[in-house]
Amino acid sequence: MAKDNILHTSRHKAAAGATRLWLGAAAVIRRGIGSLLALTLPILILASCTSGEPRSQVLKVYNWADYIDEDVLAAFPAWYEKQTGEKVRVIYQTFDINEIMLTKIERGHEDYDVVCPSEYIIERMLRKDLLLPIDTAFGRTPNYISDVSPYITKQIDATSAPGRVAHRYAVGYMWGTCGILYNRQHVPQADACTWGTLWNRKYRGKLLMKDSYRDSYGTALIYAHRRDIASGRTSVKALMNDYSPSAISTVERWLKALKPNIEGWEADFGKETMTKGKALLNMTWSGDAQWAIDEAARVGVSLGYEVPREGSNVWFDGWVIPKYARNPRAAAYFINYLCQSRVALANMQTTGYVSSVGTDEVLRAMTDSAAYPTPHDLAYFFGESGRRAHLNPIMYPDSAVVARCAMIHDAGEHTPEVLDMWSKVKGDNLGGGIVIFLLGTVGALAAYVGYRKYTGRQHRILSMRHRRRHVIRLD
């Protein structure tokens, strides 16, 4: 695989979009349009599925944007027909916020056959009994789902609900870590190896933070209790999933103390800003980091990525079959299809993220001894054949790095308190003058739009009268 040419799209996080301060205002503007779409979209989809076409021949896929190779998607119907003798047409839709996807399924009872939520949403869907078990009886077709790394399956099972073992309902797709992307020309590697650098005043105004409350929450709590972690009094896993009032208060205090160093909260622009040397540090995800490092090298900017020694989080997205799916058979085959090594490699090439598939074929394809001469212990992911592997350590972190990381669980009933804290942290970015300016700007824009609507309406009325008079004269 030509790893230097990997294309990339940012890993989308629900929290980043769901907690932005302008969503409230945007919701008002979108409400009318949203109501219309809510009425018409189901009708359009229903029309496309009921024009004499059996629902068993339609597969409705709901995924993040730019999160699958187009050729892989296009080739599935022919593969499915070869395996089953049945035809299927794919209806492919995308989302950019986990909670929007969840709401459409939980409240709208949308009949998507297969969707790709993040780990905490998988956990929530299991708890709410919104998933169907994946039938792995594929007849003469091999069960490629078994090629998913045991490490990923273990992570998935950590989201299990009472009576529901998670790996029976979810299959890992892509995964990665959270860490620090840094400019090697201005930031020593030693600084990038600790979360404390984010609070270091010498980097005032030079830091970009992911606009993600979950990652920021874990980062702040880990660093605040770094000595307790080092002494063994607590663990990264316990801290990142502590939603007690004292923990939430601690996170709020530490994140507010961090703000003088923050140039901006970003959902996607951070990696590009780093490639241009306009920021020195970026708390980000490994997929974004790898893309930025490759792009920066082309313009002479040297970037690096480290998972801090205090610990961090690992994340994954996975495929599930929602409760209201009407073609779970094709959905199971689709998930199985994506777990083939060749398909996994194609999706990695396109998205830039790391597949959950841990076969020897993937290991061989990703091995590059010249680029990565130092071997890494990847036995946790590939088994014994990965004990001394020459793979990109950003994409495939060494076992020692993984050992100090853990998964962030769903905050559950504590989510409102966490989001309230997050809004306080983010809201402090806006001083009173800025708020007044923004409100004034919004008001001016609203007045302008109203004026244009009025004048446009008057123009259309006059034009219509003119056309009518013209027609009468012609008659």
Side-chain angles (χ1 to χ4, degrees):
M1 177 178 292
K3 292 181 282 295
D4 289 340
N5 295 323
I6 284 178
L7 300 176
H8 175 76
T9 180
S10 174
R11 167 173 155 81
H12 302 281
K13 285 286 192 173
T19 59
R20 290 174 191 154
L21 296 176
W22 46 260
L23 275 186
V28 175
I29 299 172
R30 292 196 306 264
R31 192 169 292 138
I33 298 174
S35 299
L36 180 61
L37 287 175
L39 290 172
T40 59
L41 187 57
I43 296 173
L44 293 174
I45 294 175
L46 180 63
S48 70
C49 297
T50 57
S51 56
E53 183 179 37
R55 184 62 174 82
S56 61
Q57 292 183 7
V58 174
L59 177 69
K60 294 177 65 175
V61 181
Y62 203 23
N63 190 19
W64 302 100
D66 304 318
Y67 210 33
I68 195 170
D69 182 86
E70 291 183 1
D71 291 338
V72 162
L73 189 63
F76 174 71
W79 182 87
Y80 182 72
E81 185 174 6
K82 182 178 179 181
Q83 304 303 315
T84 66
E86 302 170 8
K87 293 185 179 296
V88 72
R89 179 172 67 89
V90 176
I91 294 179
Y92 188 80
Q93 293 178 272
T94 62
F95 61 91
D96 58 4
I97 297 177
N98 268 304
E99 282 78 5
I100 287 179
M101 175 276 295
L102 179 60
T103 298
K104 292 181 75 172
I105 292 171
E106 182 180 12
R107 299 181 183 177
H109 294 186
E110 289 280 358
D111 64 334
Y112 294 113
D113 298 308
V114 58
V115 302
C116 186
S118 299
E119 69 288 302
Y120 74 105
I121 293 295
I122 293 175
E123 186 172 24
R124 195 178 299 178
M125 295 178 86
L126 277 170
R127 190 173 64 246
K128 294 186 175 185
D129 191 22
L130 292 173
L131 300 180
L132 296 176
I134 300 170
D135 185 358
T136 57
F138 297 117
R140 61 186 177 87
T141 306
N143 180 3
Y144 298 108
I145 292 174
S146 62
D147 288 337
V148 169
S149 169
Y151 169 73
I152 298 298
T153 301
K154 181 179 179 181
Q155 299 299 312
I156 287 175
D157 278 348
T159 67
S160 297
R164 300 184 186 92
V165 180
H167 76 260
R168 297 176 182 170
Y169 297 82
V171 174
Y173 184 46
M174 301 289 179
W175 73 286
T177 60
C178 180
I180 297 177
L181 177 67
Y182 66 103
N183 188 311
R184 292 180 181 273
Q185 295 165 305
H186 300 282
V187 180
Q189 184 181 21
D191 282 3
C193 288
T194 173
W195 287 123
T197 296
L198 304 187
W199 283 268
N200 192 324
R201 285 294 181 260
K202 73 178 180 180
Y203 299 115
R204 188 183 182 95
K206 300 297 183 180
L207 167 65
L208 295 172
M209 289 286 289
K210 274 293 178 201
D211 190 1
S212 168
Y213 76 89
R214 300 177 74 246
D215 298 279
S216 298
Y217 187 97
T219 295
L221 210 52
I222 286 170
Y223 189 66
H225 292 277
R226 59 193 181 279
R227 294 185 180 87
D228 294 328
I229 296 174
S231 66
R233 289 193 294 270
T234 188
S235 66
V236 169
K237 179 180 179 181
L239 284 170
M240 288 195 305
N241 296 289
D242 181 357
Y243 299 109
S244 64
S246 61
I248 294 174
S249 176
T250 297
V251 171
E252 181 178 347
R253 185 170 66 254
W254 278 83
L255 288 181
K256 285 182 176 179
L258 175 65
K259 291 176 65 175
N261 285 8
I262 300 176
E263 180 183 2
W265 302 88
E266 59 92 10
D268 194 35
F269 69 79
K271 58 184 183 292
E272 294 183 3
T273 303
M274 291 292 292
T275 64
K276 298 174 182 177
K278 294 182 178 180
L280 302 183
L281 296 162
N282 184 196
M283 187 203 79
T284 189
W285 305 305
S286 52
D288 280 13
Q290 187 58 58
W291 182 91
I293 289 169
D294 291 341
E295 289 298 307
R298 295 188 176 98
V299 295
V301 176
S302 179
L303 301 180
Y305 174 81
E306 296 290 340
V307 176
R309 59 174 176 266
E310 294 88 2
S312 187
N313 67 290
V314 290
W315 56 263
F316 68 84
D317 298 326
W319 293 102
V320 299
I321 302 176
K323 182 177 183 177
Y324 305 104
R326 294 177 58 194
N327 196 353
R329 171 177 163 81
Y333 270 85
F334 181 76
I335 295 171
N336 193 39
Y337 166 75
L338 293 177
C339 291
Q340 297 174 88
S341 297
R342 63 177 182 83
V343 175
L345 287 166
N347 282 329
M348 288 172 68
Q349 176 74 16
T350 296
T351 68
Y353 282 104
V354 181
S355 170
S356 295
V357 176
T359 61
D360 286 344
E361 183 178 346
V362 171
L363 174 61
R364 288 192 299 270
M366 298 302 291
T367 295
D368 191 338
S369 299
Y372 313 108
T374 302
H376 297 279
D377 182 4
L378 305 180
Y380 72 92
F381 192 85
F382 290 106
E384 282 304 312
S385 56
R387 183 68 65 185
R388 292 179 58 81
H390 296 270
L391 272 66
N392 185 334
I394 296 175
M395 300 178 73
Y396 292 96
D398 186 86
S399 60
V401 174
V402 171
R404 61 177 184 262
C405 296
M407 185 182 73
I408 303 176
H409 288 270
D410 181 29
E413 62 184 10
H414 302 292
T415 300
E417 298 98 292
V418 176
L419 290 179
D420 181 61
M421 175 276 298
W422 182 246
S423 68
K424 292 176 183 176
V425 170
K426 295 290 296 301
D428 284 353
N429 281 336
L430 300 179
I434 296 177
V435 171
I436 293 173
F437 171 76
L438 290 176
L439 290 175
T441 301
V442 170
L445 286 173
Y448 176 71
V449 170
Y451 170 76
R452 289 298 301 272
K453 283 184 177 180
Y454 173 79
T455 56
R457 182 172 179 272
Q458 294 301 309
H459 176 73
R460 287 193 298 273
I461 291 173
L462 291 174
S463 297
M464 186 178 295
R465 290 173 178 172
H466 174 75
R467 286 196 298 271
R468 285 174 178 172
R469 288 197 300 271
H470 189 58
V471 170
I472 291 172
R473 285 197 298 270
L474 286 176
D475 290 344

